[in-house]
Amino acid sequence: MTDFAGAIARQHHYLTLCRRRIDREAIRQTWSISYGDPGFTGPYGDPPAPVERHTATSLTRAVADSRWIHRGACLACSWEGESRRRRDEAIEDAHDHTHPGWRDLPIFDRSPTGKGAATWAQHIRAVYPGGWFEASGPLRLYVDPPFDRHEAGAAPGGGFILYTARPKKDRPEDEQLLLV
Ligand SMILES: [Zn+2]
């Protein structure tokens, strides 16, 4: 195992291995930034530059039995979370590092379309801490299963949208019927 850690260092190492075109399986088993997450480059992109503000992302690699494991990571420092089975858990760990307190924030429904959208945006900004979105803080939204992937870059300031399954009792009547 390599003696460095952190998203930037690992992505540099991964890209070096890709350029050398070493064994494909060895590349799959090397930590790299997950598809679509901050700092993602794919196998042949330019290495990501470190950023100043602690920024949540995730790492992934293949393990035995064609499974993949995931870890929260940061684009500003060498912090890494525990290995997780699900990418969304890793992203949540990363937010414990970058935006402590996010788990206590209120969870909203998605923005209505049309006229209500501006009021909705004003409301969430009023309820979340001042400067939260400017600091790339995540927005928490309810989602009906099947579960959406936490979405990079989709919050008002460019942070993540972190989804929570809506409690069953709160789902609209017609959807409950569909689930029966
Ligand atoms: Zn950090």
Side-chain angles (χ1 to χ4, degrees), residues 42-127:
Y44 304 110
D46 293 325
V51 300
E52 283 191 10
R53 198 196 302 272
H54 294 284
T55 299
T57 188
S58 79
L59 296 165
T60 187
R61 75 179 188 91
V63 290
D65 310 325
S66 303
R67 284 189 303 110
W68 292 79
I69 54 172
H70 310 268
R71 273 186 192 174
C74 178
L75 291 182
C77 72
S78 60
W79 177 88
E80 288 182 11
E82 287 174 44
S83 294
R84 301 284 197 180
R85 298 288 293 275
R86 293 180 53 240
R87 176 259 189 187
D88 279 358
E89 288 176 311
I91 293 288
E92 290 169 14
D93 291 341
H95 283 87
D96 290 338
H97 167 74
T98 61
H99 294 86
W102 73 269
R103 291 177 193 269
D104 299 324
L105 292 174
I107 310 172
F108 292 96
D109 287 316
R110 285 177 197 277
S111 169
T113 51
K115 228 176 158 187
T119 312
W120 177 89
Q122 267 178 4
H123 179 64
I124 59 167
R125 281 184 179 277
V127 173

